[in-house]
Amino acid sequence: MGSATSSGGRRARLWPWYAVEFANSFACTLLTAGCYDYADKVLHALPSQRLWLSAFWGFSYIFIALAAGRVSERWGPRRSVLTMSVACVATAAVGLLAIRVPSLWMVLAVMLPYNFTSTMIWPAVESGLSRAPGGLRLTSRMSLYNLSWGSSGFLAFFVRGALERGWWGNIFVVPAGASLVGFLLLAAFSDRTDLRIARPVEDDLSAAHELDSPAMRERAKTLLHMAWIANALAYVAINVLIPVMLRLADLADVKDLAAAGAITSVWPFMRFAGFAVAWMWTGWHYKARWLVGAQGALAVTFLLMLTVHTLPVLLVAQVVFGGAVALVYSSSLYYAMHVSSGHGGHAGFHEALIGMGVAVGPTIGALAGAGDMGQDAVWRIGVGVTALLAAGTIVTGLLSGRKSRRVAADA
């Protein structure tokens, strides 16, 4: 009885970390997607201008994330998250200036400080969850992490159209409220252990011996590099998709804003479902074919969404796309935390590569779109980004084959 209670108490100290993560993901997704929608529907910004907004977000994200990993190690994960959550309340509320002074430059000006405060949270949460005392082991913690931000991201995509139709200021006020709730829950209920000196948690029994042999440790490093490439490219696709999703719905003859928001939230829902599958089924661990296959699926489904403008194709392609994104992201985060034992620097690099994808994808889209978003421009964007995704798939496939041959020769 005493042991069970103790274990339950240790588990209970983990949920505030998931709560603040859920809040930050919901707030960040709603604010960024909302800004793209606001630029489209209210400011009548060109599609290329919306894509440049996303690119600027991504370029700054790279450097913020790298700094965030170092700050997390210096301050400790808990202090970092609490400080930046409070700052997120302020930077989200500042976004109301874009409603008061409607201009594209003002949208950019309010997005950048929010980018700084929200991005600083991610590596700290990832490191904190890898080290915080509790009854769950690493694989389960990372899977729940993915489920938490995946479900909140889907929720933000799903409700954004309805919130925007009510009042555009909701895209700033609601994120500020979510960040405040996350701060209060972590401050009041999380364990105050200095996680900088805490022992990293052990992995689940199914994965505890995955790195026992030198050959497997070497393979793990290769798969980590492959996953980083794949995840960066996945975010290339995602961050071209988000600013143009309403246009894709329009091309598929979905005109209502709330309906378009719901229909284009299929892929984040399937990403959430994919995270659940990746947790319950660990057969993808250290299996390169699953990672390479997911990359290939991303390329094919992205091309279909941007070149075949029918509602059935948009829906079905989103299903596969979301599942592939989930597997790629799960691989990147799992290998990063498993190989490094939860170090904040690795978490920061994982996030910086996401930022690289966020920057590169919209840049390609903006250049290929050439200022408009007619069917020809969408087709050019689809082909251009798909070529990059396909090249990445080939590179990771070659890395996998070379490492397999080297491991076989060493054996």
Side-chain angles (χ1 to χ4, degrees):
M1 176 71 74
S3 175
T5 302
S6 174
S7 177
R10 290 195 300 272
R11 285 188 179 91
R13 287 198 291 268
L14 294 175
W15 72 261
W17 289 93
Y18 292 113
V20 75
E21 175 209 352
F22 185 98
N24 194 52
S25 175
F26 177 82
C28 190
T29 303
L30 179 59
L31 190 145
T32 53
C35 282
Y36 303 141
D37 295 346
Y38 178 73
D40 180 10
K41 299 299 183 182
V42 177
L43 303 179
H44 307 293
L46 293 173
S48 59
Q49 292 174 315
R50 301 196 300 274
L51 286 163
W52 282 121
L53 280 178
S54 185
F56 282 125
W57 176 281
F59 279 118
S60 55
Y61 191 108
I62 296 170
F63 303 104
I64 297 167
L66 289 173
R70 294 192 292 270
V71 169
S72 174
E73 288 301 305
R74 182 176 300 175
W75 289 3
R78 186 175 183 273
R79 180 186 171 193
S80 297
V81 174
L82 289 175
T83 302
M84 292 304 161
S85 293
V86 171
C88 277
V89 177
T91 55
V94 165
L96 289 170
L97 289 173
I99 307 298
R100 181 71 175 174
V101 184
S103 81
L104 197 61
W105 286 108
M106 183 59 74
V107 172
L108 178 61
V110 300
M111 287 180 73
L112 289 179
Y114 184 77
N115 187 358
F116 178 82
T117 57
S118 63
T119 301
M120 292 288 285
I121 291 174
W122 293 119
V125 171
E126 291 162 7
S127 180
L129 278 172
S130 299
R131 299 173 172 182
L136 293 178
R137 295 179 180 241
L138 181 63
T139 299
S140 296
R141 291 185 185 209
M142 292 298 97
S143 297
L144 286 173
Y145 172 89
N146 291 341
L147 288 170
S148 179
W149 75 259
S151 60
S152 62
F154 159 70
L155 180 63
F157 276 115
F158 187 79
V159 303
R160 83 181 196 275
L163 289 172
E164 292 164 356
R165 192 169 61 179
W167 177 48
W168 281 102
N170 284 328
I171 64 175
F172 302 110
V173 172
V174 175
S179 295
L180 178 59
V181 170
F183 164 79
L184 292 173
L185 291 175
L186 187 69
F189 298 106
S190 63
D191 189 274
R192 287 174 167 74
T193 302
D194 185 354
L195 299 180
R196 290 172 295 181
I197 58 175
R199 287 185 60 189
V201 296
E202 296 179 356
D203 210 333
D204 288 358
L205 294 178
S206 61
H209 304 295
E210 283 178 333
L211 299 181
D212 279 355
S213 69
M216 185 56 76
R217 284 195 295 274
E218 188 67 20
R219 181 166 180 77
K221 292 178 183 178
T222 298
L223 278 161
L224 173 59
H225 297 153
M226 290 170 58
W228 275 343
I229 293 171
N231 200 40
L233 291 175
Y235 273 84
V236 166
I238 289 169
N239 286 277
V240 172
L241 205 56
I242 291 173
V244 305
M245 259 303 199
L246 290 183
R247 179 57 178 152
L248 295 182
D250 184 64
L251 290 172
D253 206 30
V254 180
K255 307 298 183 183
D256 180 72
L257 185 60
I263 287 170
T264 56
S265 67
V266 170
W267 76 265
F269 174 78
M270 292 308 303
R271 179 179 62 183
F272 163 72
F275 286 149
V277 172
W279 179 22
M280 293 183 288
W281 174 71
T282 59
W284 57 270
H285 283 191
Y286 297 103
K287 304 290 194 308
R289 62 181 178 273
W290 287 103
L291 184 57
V292 176
Q295 273 191 276
L298 284 175
V300 171
T301 53
F302 182 87
L303 183 64
L304 287 173
M305 283 187 283
L306 271 79
T307 59
V308 183
H309 303 128
T310 67
L311 186 56
V313 168
L314 182 61
L315 292 172
V316 173
Q318 283 187 84
V319 171
V320 180
F321 183 86
V325 167
L327 183 54
V328 166
Y329 185 92
S330 296
S331 299
S332 178
L333 184 59
Y334 175 72
Y335 296 141
M337 294 296 94
H338 196 194
V339 172
S340 73
S341 299
H343 193 277
H346 259 213
F349 191 72
H350 162 81
E351 293 295 330
L353 286 173
I354 290 174
M356 188 177 297
V358 178
V360 171
T363 299
I364 294 173
L367 295 174
D372 73 52
M373 201 55 72
Q375 291 196 16
D376 288 346
V378 172
W379 187 88
R380 289 195 301 271
I381 293 171
V383 172
V385 174
T386 300
L388 182 61
L389 297 176
T393 304
I394 293 170
V395 168
T396 54
L398 291 174
L399 283 174
S400 171
R402 185 175 66 181
K403 178 52 61 180
S404 296
R405 291 190 295 273
R406 184 180 300 171
V407 170
D410 291 343

